[in-house]
């Protein structure tokens, strides 16, 4: 009877997996402002209020003129948004922020006020990985927050497996790595060996501010300031931690699995 009751209850609930990307993306929670937009032209010379409140020095003021903001170092605390009296830094509410090149996370230059979103892998790699991508996750000193959001993607609401993307236990069975954490000194060798064990061709995805730049731990002698200092990175997904939707968007974007309405801006 217990099994029958369970099956009946499950059937009554129906399909709980979200329609995205065939349907609209789920809304971000109110506390999540999405990616940022930086309009350096609005920033007068001599104003440094945003620099004073940024906890990770993600904001740069070259020669005292304008500003640049590095999303790869940003904790998305919104302190700069609240401190700026000129509206030069604003939250967009957009979950999309994954990029292929590290420099594309630096905002503020004319024409680059917003993130230049990731392009898909080349045709050969899309043929290999587009329908079946196996990833080995490496927590290289992570605090568990990004790892938790990666786990969320495996739940019934997100169902990452429907896209042919799965996490595997052995790097020898993987097509690439997903790296979280700032890469602590004690994890450096383990990360190198894990990367070497993945057969060619392979991809590497750095997820979270710590994995991109070291985050709040950057500069510490105990960390290596992100994955790119150890292995070549093909996709950067910023956030502290990134929302599961941001991670999913990055994975689908690099595999060329998004429709025209979700094309890069």
């Amino acid at each position: 009877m217990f099994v029958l009751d369970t099956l009946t209850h499950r059937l009554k609930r129906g399909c709980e997996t979200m329609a995205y990307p065939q349907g609209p993306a789920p809304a971000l929670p109110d506390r999540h402002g999405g990616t940022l937009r930086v309009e350096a032209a609005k920033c007068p010379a001599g104003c440094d209020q945003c620099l004073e409140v940024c906890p990770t020095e993600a904001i740069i003021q070259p020669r005292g003129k304008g500003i640049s903001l590095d999303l790869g170092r940003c904790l998305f605390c919104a302190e700069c948004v609240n401190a700026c009296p000129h509206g030069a830094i604003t939250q967009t509410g957009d979950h999309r922020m994954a990029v292929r090149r590290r420099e594309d996370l630096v905002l503020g230059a004319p024409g680059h006020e917003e993130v230049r979103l990731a392009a898909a892998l080349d045709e050969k790699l899309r043929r290999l990985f587009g329908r079946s991508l196996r990833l080995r996750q490496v927590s290289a000193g992570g605090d568990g927050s990004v790892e938790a959001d990666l786990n969320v993607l495996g739940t019934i609401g997100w169902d990452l497996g429907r896209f042919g993307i799965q996490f595997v236990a052995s790097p020898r069975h993987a097509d690439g790595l997903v790296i979280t954490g700032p890469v602590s000194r004690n994890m450096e060798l383990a990360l190198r060996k894990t990367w070497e064990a993945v057969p060619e061709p392979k991809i590497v995805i750095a997820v979270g501010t710590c994995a991109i730049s070291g985050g709040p731990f950057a500069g510490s002698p105990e960390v290596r300031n992100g994955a790119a200092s150890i292995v070549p990175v093909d996709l950067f997904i910023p956030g502290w931690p990134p929302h599961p939707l941001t991670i999913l968007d990055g994975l689908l974007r690099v595999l060329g699995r998004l429709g025209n309405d979700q094309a890069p801006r």
Side-chain angles (χ1 to χ4, degrees):
M1 282 296 295
F2 176 77
V3 174
L4 181 59
D5 290 344
T6 301
L7 292 174
T8 302
H9 176 70
R10 185 67 192 88
L11 290 171
K12 287 180 178 179
R13 293 179 64 179
C15 179
E16 296 188 11
T17 302
M18 66 182 67
Y20 177 82
Q22 281 68 39
L28 293 176
D30 293 339
R31 65 181 180 276
H32 195 303
T35 189
L36 300 175
R37 176 180 174 85
V38 179
E39 299 176 82
K42 292 184 178 181
C43 184
C47 179
D48 58 359
Q49 295 188 41
C50 59
L51 279 76
E52 295 176 353
V53 299
C54 181
T56 56
E57 299 181 354
I59 300 174
I60 307 162
Q61 195 173 42
R63 298 180 183 177
K65 296 182 180 180
I67 55 170
S68 296
L69 190 152
D70 184 355
L71 283 186
R73 294 180 63 90
C74 181
L75 302 185
F76 296 85
C77 63
E79 290 296 322
C80 60
V81 176
N82 297 328
C84 179
H86 312 290
I89 307 175
T90 54
Q91 294 175 309
T92 67
D94 193 341
H95 65 274
R96 302 173 300 172
M97 56 184 94
V99 302
R100 294 290 306 280
R101 302 183 306 168
R102 176 68 178 87
E103 56 266 32
D104 286 342
L105 289 174
V106 179
L107 312 180
H112 301 302
E113 291 84 3
E114 298 184 16
V115 176
R116 288 157 282 186
L117 296 175
L121 296 168
D122 62 51
E123 184 178 353
K124 178 181 178 180
L125 290 179
R126 289 203 307 273
R127 287 200 305 267
L128 289 172
F129 302 146
R131 294 173 61 86
S132 177
L133 179 65
R134 302 293 183 263
L135 298 169
R136 176 65 168 93
Q137 198 271 321
V138 179
S139 180
D143 61 6
S145 59
V146 179
E147 293 84 349
D149 279 346
L150 287 169
N151 286 337
V152 167
L153 291 175
T155 62
I156 190 172
W158 297 84
D159 190 15
L160 186 64
R162 62 191 161 122
F163 304 107
I165 305 173
Q166 294 182 349
F167 291 101
V168 295
S170 171
R172 299 190 184 282
H173 300 159
D175 302 308
L177 300 181
V178 171
I179 303 172
T180 58
V183 187
S184 63
R185 184 175 62 178
N186 291 337
M187 279 298 296
E188 179 179 352
L189 180 60
L191 176 58
R192 289 185 187 276
K193 288 189 173 183
T194 304
W195 180 75
E196 291 169 356
V198 179
E200 296 283 355
K202 51 191 170 185
I203 64 173
V204 176
I205 303 167
V207 182
T209 298
C210 291
I212 295 174
S213 67
F217 311 105
S220 167
E222 297 302 319
V223 303
R224 295 296 181 252
N225 297 335
S229 64
I230 307 300
V231 296
V233 176
D234 301 284
L235 182 68
F236 299 87
I237 305 178
W240 202 63
H243 191 277
L245 183 59
T246 299
I247 302 173
L248 179 59
D249 175 86
L251 293 174
L252 296 182
R253 193 172 298 280
V254 81
L255 294 177
R257 298 284 296 275
L258 292 178
N260 292 333
D261 58 329
Q262 288 96 12
R265 293 169 289 184

